Amino acid sequence: MKWIIIRPIAALLMGLTYLVSQFFESNLLLILVSLFATITVISYIPYLNKTPMILISTLLILSVILLLNGDGLITMFHGMRENVGLLAIFIFVPLISIPIRTGQYLKYIDTVFNYYIKTSRQLYLYLKISLLSIGSVMNLGTIPIMYHLTSTESFKDYHDTRIKALVRGFSLCFLWSPYFISIALILSYFNVTWVELLPYGFLFASTGFILGLLTIGTINEPIQTVEQDHEIPIHKAKRKLVELMVIIVGMTALTMTIEHFVNLSVLTIIPIMAIVISTIWSLFYQSPKEFGRELLDYTQGRLPKMGNELSLFIAAGVFGVAILDAGASEWIIYLIDVSGINHLLILLPVLAVIVNVLSFIGVHPIITNTALAITLSSSPMFADDHLLLSIGLLAAWMLTILVSPLSATNLMVGNLTNTNSVHVGLKMNWQYALMLYGVFYILIVGIYYLF
């Protein structure tokens, strides 16, 4: 059987077996999750680009070396499933894009944009709201969609405004959206729930939204709208856009409710929600046969393109297990003790620097944050600070999305706009990022002393 067939099958079986294992206690199911994760990473490696191939292979080789000197390769096999809970979100949440596309919601958004956007500030505002709302569910795929929707004659002179709105709006989703891998990782290791994180994440995202409006500049140029022949009446477009927002908010509220009343992790609830809601929602717009074709296209088109992310998250989980087995947790805590950093409010900026410096040399934040989360969540020194540690790591992760030239967001936007990721990320956002983290830190200090 060709690898091209094995890749999506292994990834799907990995995610589905993980979900089943959350309802039935079975060592066999856990072994199967590890087996499918192992097959997934092995089948994807030959198809990776050079840089991720080297990075992922290096992580796996280092894991082998560390575990051969520790608990052995059987621990590595079990470690293959360490981050599968995160990957279930990554695999199944994009299914929601099927009804959004087939329901033609993007056409309605296009109609509303062209009807209401009359100034450069409104362009920034509408784009950022779109990324914070639709982007919180559709993830990275929202960026090219919104970029192309605003690639019209009316908006072509506002190139930088569009780029800033896309990158800044998307980065703020990392602070609160339960459909993002950042939230999933934090919930995997720290003793916090998404319901506990949500008010703070929403507060921080709102702060970033307001700061963006204040720093976009004082110029609010009128946009000369080029008339377009829209077949969709504006009242219908507004109604459908409200419908989309209600569905997204409803999904989020339902997730919160289920998490509160059912003894299941949000890592389990969200993929199941994505599967169920995407199926029901899609069947309003297409027949079961057409939906089946969409699912087949998804498995053969979308899943094979997830190789970098799927392989990286699996390798990062294994590496986290390996360094923990090698005693890294004790070493990190020892270094924190030696450095004199024994206070949470001093530690958090240091963590932000570590995560961002490593992201500039190609170390993905999933690797750094996995290692830090494993270590800090098991440390008795910070046993009472899991909530603020979570917020601090999310803020640090958000900064890498904003400014790192190697973040997937900046690489994608750079490619879309025929510019480089250094310009898109670092040059356009470093001042905003520093101010934003400064405000976040002040908020964290306030939360620390008030609560």
Side-chain angles (χ1 to χ4, degrees):
M1 185 180 293
K2 295 182 179 179
W3 285 124
I4 195 169
I5 299 175
I6 293 177
R7 285 182 291 162
I9 291 175
L12 281 173
L13 288 174
M14 173 181 66
L16 289 171
T17 308
Y18 164 78
L19 293 179
V20 173
S21 71
Q22 300 306 295
F23 294 92
F24 303 98
E25 290 187 13
S26 168
N27 288 331
L28 176 60
L29 285 173
L30 296 178
I31 291 170
L32 286 175
V33 174
S34 295
L35 176 62
F36 292 135
T38 303
I39 296 173
T40 298
V41 73
I42 292 173
S43 64
Y44 271 107
I45 284 179
Y47 295 89
L48 299 177
N49 295 327
K50 184 178 180 180
T51 300
M53 181 188 291
I54 293 172
L55 175 60
I56 291 163
S57 300
T58 301
L59 287 175
L60 293 174
I61 292 169
L62 288 174
S63 299
V64 169
I65 294 171
L66 290 170
L67 288 168
L68 281 176
N69 293 316
D71 288 343
L73 293 183
I74 189 66
T75 301
M76 182 172 181
F77 178 73
H78 294 317
M80 287 288 180
R81 64 173 179 259
E82 183 71 18
N83 278 345
V84 170
L86 315 182
L87 292 175
I89 290 177
F90 200 79
I91 292 168
F92 295 114
V93 165
L95 290 172
I96 297 171
S97 65
I98 295 176
I100 289 178
R101 186 180 67 255
T102 55
Q104 297 187 327
Y105 289 97
L106 300 178
K107 283 188 177 181
Y108 301 122
I109 293 173
D110 187 31
T111 300
V112 170
F113 267 40
N114 281 279
Y115 186 85
Y116 281 108
I117 296 177
K118 306 298 181 185
T119 68
S120 57
R121 191 177 292 276
Q122 287 177 344
L123 175 61
Y124 179 87
L125 179 67
Y126 274 71
L127 263 180
K128 202 164 183 181
I129 289 175
S130 299
L131 267 296
L132 274 169
S133 53
I134 301 169
S136 68
V137 174
M138 288 185 64
N139 212 296
L140 203 58
T142 317
I143 290 178
I145 291 171
M146 301 313 300
Y147 177 76
H148 290 304
L149 280 178
T150 54
S151 295
T152 63
E153 285 296 314
S154 301
F155 305 137
K156 69 177 183 179
D157 293 331
Y158 303 94
H159 187 256
D160 285 358
T161 299
R162 291 161 60 207
I163 290 177
K164 288 178 181 178
L166 289 171
V167 175
R168 295 177 183 183
F170 184 73
S171 67
L172 294 176
C173 293
F174 281 76
L175 296 167
W176 69 274
S177 174
Y179 308 102
F180 271 57
I181 208 75
S182 53
I183 295 292
L185 184 141
I186 291 300
L187 297 181
S188 293
Y189 292 105
F190 290 100
N191 186 28
V192 294
T193 65
W194 178 58
V195 174
E196 291 174 311
L197 274 178
L198 181 60
Y200 300 104
F202 189 77
L203 170 64
F204 280 45
S206 301
T207 302
F209 181 82
I210 295 169
L211 185 63
L213 285 176
L214 295 175
T215 58
I216 193 63
T218 57
I219 299 174
N220 191 25
E221 299 176 4
I223 295 177
Q224 300 300 320
T225 304
V226 177
E227 293 295 330
Q228 297 187 16
D229 183 20
H230 286 287
E231 298 179 357
I232 303 172
I234 186 61
H235 69 273
K236 181 178 180 180
K238 289 192 293 184
R239 186 173 69 249
K240 293 297 288 187
L241 194 55
V242 169
E243 177 185 300
L244 177 61
M245 294 300 104
V246 168
I247 292 172
I248 291 174
V249 172
M251 286 171 53
T252 306
L254 185 57
T255 301
M256 291 175 62
T257 304
I258 293 173
E259 185 191 21
H260 181 71
F261 288 105
V262 178
N263 188 28
L264 285 174
S265 165
V266 73
L267 302 182
T268 304
I269 297 169
I270 288 175
I272 294 173
M273 288 272 293
I275 294 169
V276 173
I277 289 176
S278 64
T279 301
I280 296 172
W281 194 3
S282 294
L283 293 177
F284 276 97
Y285 300 109
Q286 54 191 171
S287 67
K289 186 176 180 180
E290 290 171 329
F291 179 56
R293 282 198 294 266
E294 290 279 358
L295 290 177
L296 183 62
D297 289 342
Y298 173 78
T299 59
Q300 299 303 311
R302 181 70 180 267
L303 273 180
K305 294 178 182 178
M306 294 181 178
N308 288 351
E309 292 79 7
L310 292 173
S311 303
L312 180 59
F313 294 157
I314 293 171
V318 174
F319 184 66
V321 170
I323 62 173
L324 190 64
D325 182 68
S329 179
E330 290 78 9
W331 277 102
I332 292 174
I333 297 301
Y334 173 75
L335 289 173
I336 291 174
D337 285 338
V338 170
S339 65
I341 301 175
N342 54 12
H343 197 286
L344 178 69
L345 296 180
I346 300 174
L347 177 65
L348 292 182
V350 174
L351 297 181
V353 171
I354 291 171
V355 172
N356 280 269
V357 168
L358 291 177
S359 75
F360 271 75
I361 61 174
V363 181
H364 196 282
I366 188 73
I367 299 172
T368 312
N369 281 303
T370 296
L372 291 173
I374 288 174
T375 300
L376 297 173
S377 63
S378 60
S379 168
M381 186 185 305
F382 302 107
D384 297 326
D385 298 316
H386 281 204
L387 180 59
L388 285 180
L389 276 171
S390 301
I391 295 170
L393 286 176
L394 289 172
W397 197 328
M398 184 272 308
L399 286 182
T400 71
I401 307 304
L402 267 176
V403 298
S404 174
L406 298 178
S407 78
T409 306
N410 290 327
L411 288 169
M412 174 181 282
V413 175
N415 182 58
L416 284 170
T417 58
N418 293 317
T419 53
N420 62 72
S421 58
V422 175
H423 176 77
V424 168
L426 189 60
K427 290 185 179 179
M428 296 187 73
N429 289 308
W430 72 270
Q431 291 176 310
Y432 169 77
L434 286 178
M435 284 190 288
L436 186 58
Y437 188 79
V439 174
F440 283 178
Y441 186 72
I442 292 171
L443 288 174
I444 290 173
V445 171
I447 294 168
Y448 180 84
Y449 284 110
L450 291 176
F451 302 97

